[in-house]
Amino acid sequence: MSSRTPTGGASNQGAAGGSQRDRTIGDEWWRREVVYQVYPRSFVDSNGDGIGDLDGVRSRVDHFSWLGVGAVWLSPFYPSGGVDNGYDVANYCAVDPVYGTLDQFDTLVDRLHRSGIRVIIDQIYNHSSDEHPWFTASRSSVTDNQRDWYIWRPPRRGHRGGEPGAEPNDWQSFFGGPAWTFDAASGEYYLHLFHRKQPDLNWTNRDLREAVRRAMQWWLDRDVDGLRLDVINLIAKPAGLPDAASHPDLLAMLSANPALHSYLAALRTSLGSRRTGPPTLIGEMPGASADVASLATSTERGELDMAISFDHVELDRGETKWDRVPFPGGRLGTTLAKWQLDVGQTGWNALYLSSHDQPRAVSRFGDDEAHRARSAKTLATVLHLHRGTPVVYQGEEAAMANYPFSSLDEVRDVESMNYAADALAGGARREHVLDVIGAVGRDNARTPVQWDGSHGGGFSHADPWISMNPDHVDWNIAVQRGDGESVLHHYRWLVALRRRWPIVADGTFEPLVWNHPQVYAFVRELGAQRLVVVANLSDAGTPAPDLGVETLDLIHSNPDVELRTSPIDVLEPWESRVWIRRVDGDARPVDVH
Ligand code: ISL
Ligand code: CA
């Protein structure tokens, strides 16, 4: 392998070249950089088969550099069982030919490093695919020495006669139906918190844990800088696998298991990379309490560097994600603020509004009709000026919106397909099912990136595996590159602001309004410096609360008003402003507008 020492300069302060580095508190790169999430399948198709690939990602490294992000997180590109777009891994140490080759992966890593951009890869070790050789061996016989690498249980005795249908407990799968599948050959059930083709790994087994560690290290030895650990809060199952009664209870029960922290602590001490020392560990933690996230990411424990939390993306969730409740005004700000206070001071949050699992942020939290650009900018301002590591999901930087589904034939995601089948069988109207999928289905995030307004949107010359949103003609990255007032340029400005102003990375956080139905405002402080953000997160104008910002300089306003220091009387729909009190010696923020 060639030398992969990055030569990228500015974006790389904090990364040690060559020698192993202690995990020094406070100077980690991720405190002042932004992560960009790539879902390779939908990013760029380089070879005309309609599916995005690794060479496609490499062809757009200039986009990451132009935005100024410090790291790219790649969603899965491993061989898979084909049910969950790669989150069902059939070989942990290989590249799926659909996405390219291992050589192409190494070349991509090298190219990113030469641009000073770190590489974070997705690691999925709560479960594997049922096509993984580990599971094939485990299922082959109750006496196989890998039997115990997965979670097998006999039917529940005395319950429906102990026959198939008598699942060992009441746990429900994320993708609908029981979390257990009966294996007739051995007369036992195996556990799968997700699809039946995604059996859960048994972390109580020491050999399994060692195999996982080795596979992770295999990638770190290829100079990967960090790992995003899929549903890591669910790996430790409670002894006896007690009934859970509900989905939230199950998530809380799994997350609260102390064994989780011992597994993470052991991983932390055993993983390392020659180039950068300890890898950056990002834990995805759906349903974990702020206490658990705070504990895992606290500087003392340092099990994980940051946690991806979910409260703010579940505000419109009813009993299941498909039973939607009206989006409660004002709750977005309050929920983000809660995680800032409960986790952000002692631990560290990953900050996000969109991902490959969520509908598009501008459609869900903003207004993708009358105020599309303005609401996208205000949402980004609020998120990026929090304490934590912002994660931009591909296309978000150009205000990509939800897809206008008109037929179930357009649906690709297994979660939505399962929901549609169940709902239709239960008598739901097709229009209703389409409406719900259009609002919260994961495919909204997975339509191809809108690079330009051409027929294939700059994604592919072939028919894409999932339809491109027809609005790419007007809403695309090329158009916005040429417009200094665009959403895209605003993201670039926010990334630069975090790098240049230590207060954005290191300042404390305090909310300035609480439970206001429209307005969200907060202050960050670092020494004598002060940064105030005020935002109207609604479609209606509102009187502005008095925030005492007269003595501060307005450094950003959306929409643009003359930069002045006088107080604001009224906040227009989706208006936001950023104020700062400079102290002697401050650099001025880079003006990239
Ligand atoms: O997508 C969700 C709800 O619609 C989430 O609950 C999601 O299932 C959860 O965040 C876990 O996500 C991760 O693991 C899944 C995979 O399908 C997701 O894409 C991944 O991000 C199983 O590996
Ligand atoms: Ca391709």
Side-chain angles (χ1 to χ4, degrees):
M1 234 184 290
S2 61
S3 157
R4 298 190 196 287
T5 305
T7 54
S11 71
N12 250 334
Q13 77 274 59
S19 67
Q20 186 91 5
R21 194 173 62 99
D22 285 344
R23 195 165 169 276
T24 315
I25 305 308
D27 69 347
E28 298 92 345
W29 67 268
W30 39 262
R31 292 183 191 271
R32 41 196 54 79
E33 304 274 4
V34 171
V35 174
Y36 187 100
Q37 184 192 351
V38 168
Y39 194 69
R41 200 174 180 81
S42 304
F43 194 66
V44 176
D45 168 26
S46 73
N47 62 350
D49 62 358
I51 300 176
D53 45 54
L54 295 178
D55 272 358
V57 180
R58 185 158 56 90
S59 71
R60 297 288 174 159
V61 171
D62 286 349
H63 180 63
F64 311 136
S65 298
W66 183 84
L67 271 176
V69 297
V72 164
W73 147 26
L74 296 169
S75 275
F77 47 83
Y78 322 107
S80 98
V83 289
D84 196 17
N85 283 358
Y87 285 89
D88 48 331
V89 181
N91 181 348
Y92 284 113
C93 298
V95 173
D96 188 324
V98 162
Y99 299 117
T101 63
L102 211 44
D103 272 352
Q104 285 167 336
F105 175 79
D106 289 339
T107 310
L108 171 60
V109 171
D110 196 35
R111 174 75 183 82
L112 285 163
H113 283 166
R114 278 192 286 111
S115 298
I117 298 167
R118 291 168 185 76
V119 181
I120 295 168
I121 60 169
D122 232 300
Q123 296 281 277
I124 302 105
Y125 286 105
N126 174 70
H127 47 269
S128 72
S129 164
D130 66 340
E131 295 177 22
H132 195 288
W134 294 350
F135 188 72
T136 319
S138 180
R139 150 184 266 175
S140 68
S141 144
V142 288
T143 57
D144 187 273
N145 61 10
Q146 279 173 294
R147 179 69 171 181
D148 189 43
W149 285 30
Y150 292 81
I151 301 171
W152 294 95
R153 290 289 182 279
R156 194 195 289 227
R157 283 211 281 155
H159 186 73
R160 277 184 273 159
E163 289 304 318
E167 289 84 16
N169 68 23
D170 69 353
W171 297 3
Q172 294 292 301
S173 139
F174 271 80
F175 294 156
W180 295 93
T181 287
F182 188 66
D183 174 53
S186 63
E188 292 191 328
Y189 284 87
Y190 65 87
L191 177 70
H192 54 89
L193 293 180
F194 294 88
H195 195 271
R196 68 185 159 69
K197 282 180 65 62
Q198 293 169 297
D200 280 45
L201 292 161
N202 178 15
W203 278 69
T204 65
N205 185 294
R206 185 187 297 261
D207 295 341
L208 175 276
R209 294 201 305 272
E210 175 54 16
V212 167
R213 189 200 62 76
R214 275 203 308 269
M216 288 182 177
Q217 187 60 47
W218 187 87
W219 288 103
L220 295 172
D221 290 343
R222 302 195 91 83
D223 283 347
V224 159
D225 305 272
L227 310 174
R228 179 267 190 191
L229 306 173
D230 192 63
V231 289
I232 199 66
N233 59 316
L234 307 184
I235 58 174
K237 314 308 193 254
L241 308 183
D243 282 343
S246 76
H247 176 82
D249 282 4
L250 173 58
L251 296 185
M253 186 203 296
L254 292 169
S255 311
N257 191 340
L260 169 65
H261 300 283
S262 32
Y263 297 149
L264 291 177
L267 265 186
R268 168 61 86 192
T269 48
S270 63
L271 295 174
S273 119
R274 271 167 301 139
R275 192 177 66 85
T276 54
T280 303
L281 298 180
I282 306 179
E284 189 208 22
M285 302 190 124
S289 68
D291 283 350
V292 170
S294 180
L295 210 57
T297 61
S298 66
T299 40
E300 286 125 60
R301 291 212 183 194
E303 295 164 5
L304 299 172
D305 293 307
M306 66 191 93
I308 298 177
S309 67
F310 282 74
D311 277 2
H312 65 297
V313 292
E314 302 213 321
L315 290 170
D316 51 1
R317 180 190 174 106
E319 202 176 316
T320 75
K321 85 175 250 176
W322 312 107
D323 308 304
R324 294 166 53 232
V325 296
F327 191 71
R331 289 280 301 286
L332 177 61
T334 317
T335 306
L336 293 172
K338 177 183 175 309
W339 281 77
Q340 287 286 294
L341 294 170
D342 294 352
V343 179
Q345 317 283 14
T346 50
W348 199 254
N349 286 300
L351 309 170
Y352 76 103
L353 292 174
S354 31
S355 78
H356 65 293
D357 289 336
Q358 302 298 331
R360 289 285 175 179
V362 69
S363 303
R364 184 193 221 173
F365 301 113
D367 173 355
D368 63 9
E369 290 175 358
H371 302 291
R372 182 154 166 184
R374 199 196 283 186
S375 63
K377 284 191 204 174
T378 282
L379 287 167
T381 300
V382 163
L383 192 80
H384 281 242
L385 297 181
H386 277 145
R387 191 178 154 89
T389 304
V391 183
V392 176
Y393 177 69
Q394 64 184 38
E396 175 192 334
E397 72 276 31
M400 275 180 65
N402 279 354
Y403 182 81
F405 287 91
S406 60
S407 151
L408 286 174
D409 295 340
E410 293 170 316
V411 175
R412 295 285 175 275
D413 179 24
V414 64
E415 185 189 50
S416 294
M417 291 195 293
N418 285 355
Y419 156 69
D422 283 357
L424 293 174
R429 283 179 310 110
R430 190 165 288 264
E431 299 71 48
H432 170 74
V433 169
L434 266 178
D435 256 19
V436 173
I437 289 177
V440 292
R442 304 196 296 184
D443 284 330
N444 286 302
R446 302 174 181 184
T447 62
V449 172
Q450 298 168 199
W451 294 102
D452 60 42
S454 69
H455 177 67
F459 168 71
S460 176
H461 297 300
D463 281 344
W465 70 277
I466 187 172
S467 299
M468 156 102 28
N469 195 319
D471 74 0
H472 76 277
V473 176
D474 301 313
W475 289 86
N476 63 63
I477 289 172
V479 163
Q480 295 188 35
R481 269 294 284 265
D483 171 7
E485 298 302 316
S486 64
V487 175
L488 184 68
H489 276 262
H490 184 60
Y491 268 82
R492 187 175 190 230
W493 179 75
L494 288 168
V495 172
L497 200 67
R498 170 169 295 266
R499 277 212 185 138
R500 298 292 170 93
W501 285 81
I503 191 172
V504 178
D506 301 327
T508 56
F509 169 92
E510 205 60 58
L512 290 175
V513 292
W514 197 252
N515 270 338
H516 189 292
Q518 293 163 275
V519 179
Y520 178 45
F522 57 87
V523 58
R524 309 284 312 277
E525 281 184 340
L526 185 68
Q529 240 179 28
R530 209 159 174 254
L531 178 81
V532 171
V533 178
V534 57
N536 177 1
L537 300 182
S538 84
D539 282 345
T542 174
D546 180 10
L547 301 173
V549 290
E550 300 92 297
T551 57
L552 310 184
D553 288 349
L554 183 62
I555 59 165
H556 173 73
S557 169
N558 166 38
D560 269 339
V561 293
E562 197 186 328
L563 295 189
R564 58 193 158 82
T565 54
S566 58
I568 345 155
D569 304 330
V570 172
L571 284 165
E572 291 179 32
W574 291 104
E575 175 170 359
S576 53
R577 299 196 189 187
V578 181
W579 311 73
I580 202 156
R581 180 166 71 209
R582 301 166 200 279
V583 292
D584 285 350
D586 274 347
R588 294 189 70 86
V590 262
D591 183 8
V592 290
H593 280 299

